[in-house]
């Protein structure tokens, strides 16, 4: 997997007496905005507007650019790299702002495909370690019960990965917005629930049940055109070995659940072999 995002441009001519202007390259990449549907994940297996989306990807902070001429002198190649890289599946709606930027209020922003997993449910007010352990154990058992149905190896609970999950759960609870960690090296499922009853405690298996319910949207043996079943496929991804899970509560009373997986799942080109059918 590439470490940086990358846009490439090439201009050719019958003569060697020519050069490329910077704005010419950038204008060419940006012109793909006509093919981009804001607030949605790109359809199909190719990124028709991938140069544009990388240009305006919100989390990218640095750019490096260079050009070189071919040996014959009739072609000029331009390479631009971006860090952190963009164009991550499942994050286009949150990372590619429309002209004028995203709405300032989180409630008016259109959710990504992963945000559809948000569900009004119930929460626990207690942040004690015993509650976290009970939640994690329940979540792990539910994962392995479902994985067993598909013949996938059982996951093991990782304290290290749970610490990673807790860090991100605290971050999004503070923002009070359901969003994936950018440039995540681990697989990740998110869930959000709310209850007006502060004494109600939700079990970890309820989050997993919600993720697994996406099985109805998945076609086995075929590469998906989008990740509407991405939570389900990560739950049963056969190569994943470890699970880390944590929760955090926002000021508004919502509880956010973050589950991380190692190795990560949902790699394009591997769904057919890594998402087993039910036995």
């Amino acid at each position: 997997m590439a470490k940086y995002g990358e846009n490439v441009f090439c201009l050719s001519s019958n003569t060697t007496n020519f050069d490329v202007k910077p704005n010419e390259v950038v204008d060419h990449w940006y012109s793909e905005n006509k093919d981009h549907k804001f607030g949605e994940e790109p359809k199909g297996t190719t990124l028709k507007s991938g140069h544009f989306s990388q240009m305006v990807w919100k989390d990218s902070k640095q750019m490096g650019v260079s050009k070189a001429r071919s040996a014959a002198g009739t072609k000029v190649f331009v390479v631009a790299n971006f860090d952190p890289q963009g164009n991550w599946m499942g994050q286009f709606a949150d990372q590619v702002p429309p002209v004028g930027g995203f709405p300032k209020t989180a409630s008016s922003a259109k959710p990504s495909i992963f945000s559809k997993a948000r569900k009004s449910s119930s929460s626990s007010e207690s942040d004690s370690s015993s509650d976290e352990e009970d939640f994690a154990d329940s979540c792990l058992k539910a994962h392995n019960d479902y994985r067993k149905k598909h013949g996938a190896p059982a996951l093991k609970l990782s304290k290290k990965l749970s610490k990673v999950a807790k860090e991100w759960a605290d971050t999004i609870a503070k923002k009070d917005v359901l969003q994936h960690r950018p440039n995540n090296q681990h697989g990740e499922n998110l869930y959000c629930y709310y209850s007006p009853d502060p004494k109600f405690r939700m079990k970890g298996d309820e989050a997993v049940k919600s993720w697994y319910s996406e099985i109805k949207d998945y076609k086995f043996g075929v590469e998906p055109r989008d990740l509407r079943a991405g939570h389900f496929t990560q739950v049963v991804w056969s190569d994943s070995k470890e699970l880390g899970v944590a929760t955090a509560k926002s000021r508004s009373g919502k509880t956010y659940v973050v589950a991380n997986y190692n190795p990560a799942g949902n790699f394009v080109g591997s769904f057919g072999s890594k998402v087993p059918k039910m036995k």
Side-chain angles (χ1 to χ4, degrees), residues 56-211:
V56 301
W57 195 265
K58 188 176 67 173
D59 277 354
S60 293
K61 306 297 183 185
Q62 301 180 89
M63 182 184 77
V65 63
S66 188
K67 66 177 181 177
R69 190 177 293 270
S70 66
T74 57
K75 292 182 180 180
V76 174
F77 297 89
V78 179
V79 176
N81 288 124
F82 303 82
D83 184 33
Q85 71 184 94
N87 291 347
W88 290 87
M89 290 300 293
Q91 299 183 26
F92 281 82
D94 297 327
Q95 293 292 331
V96 183
V99 176
F102 288 120
K104 293 184 178 180
T105 56
S107 60
S108 63
K110 188 171 182 179
S112 68
I113 58 172
F114 282 99
S115 298
K116 294 178 181 178
R118 281 183 287 187
K119 177 182 178 183
S120 294
S121 183
S122 48
S123 65
S124 168
E125 196 172 43
S126 173
D127 290 326
S128 68
S129 59
S130 61
D131 288 336
E132 284 285 348
E133 290 174 3
D134 290 344
F135 188 92
D137 289 341
S138 175
C139 189
L140 176 66
K141 183 179 184 303
H143 271 87
N144 288 336
D145 286 346
Y146 285 126
R147 289 173 69 87
K148 185 177 181 179
K149 291 182 178 181
H150 291 262
L155 297 173
K156 292 183 179 180
L157 197 62
S158 165
K159 290 184 178 180
K160 182 178 180 180
L161 208 54
S162 291
K163 185 177 180 180
V164 172
K166 180 61 176 175
E167 176 187 307
W168 189 244
D170 287 341
T171 298
I172 60 177
K174 185 177 181 180
K175 295 180 179 179
D176 211 354
V177 59
L178 194 71
Q179 66 180 56
H180 283 273
R181 183 194 293 265
N183 304 323
N184 199 347
Q185 63 178 316
H186 306 295
E188 186 173 79
N189 277 352
L190 303 180
Y191 186 80
C192 178
Y193 59 93
Y194 170 80
S195 172
D197 181 4
K199 295 182 180 180
F200 191 94
R201 296 182 181 181
M202 179 186 141
K203 295 181 179 179
D205 61 349
E206 292 187 42
V208 185
K209 182 179 180 180
S210 172
W211 296 331

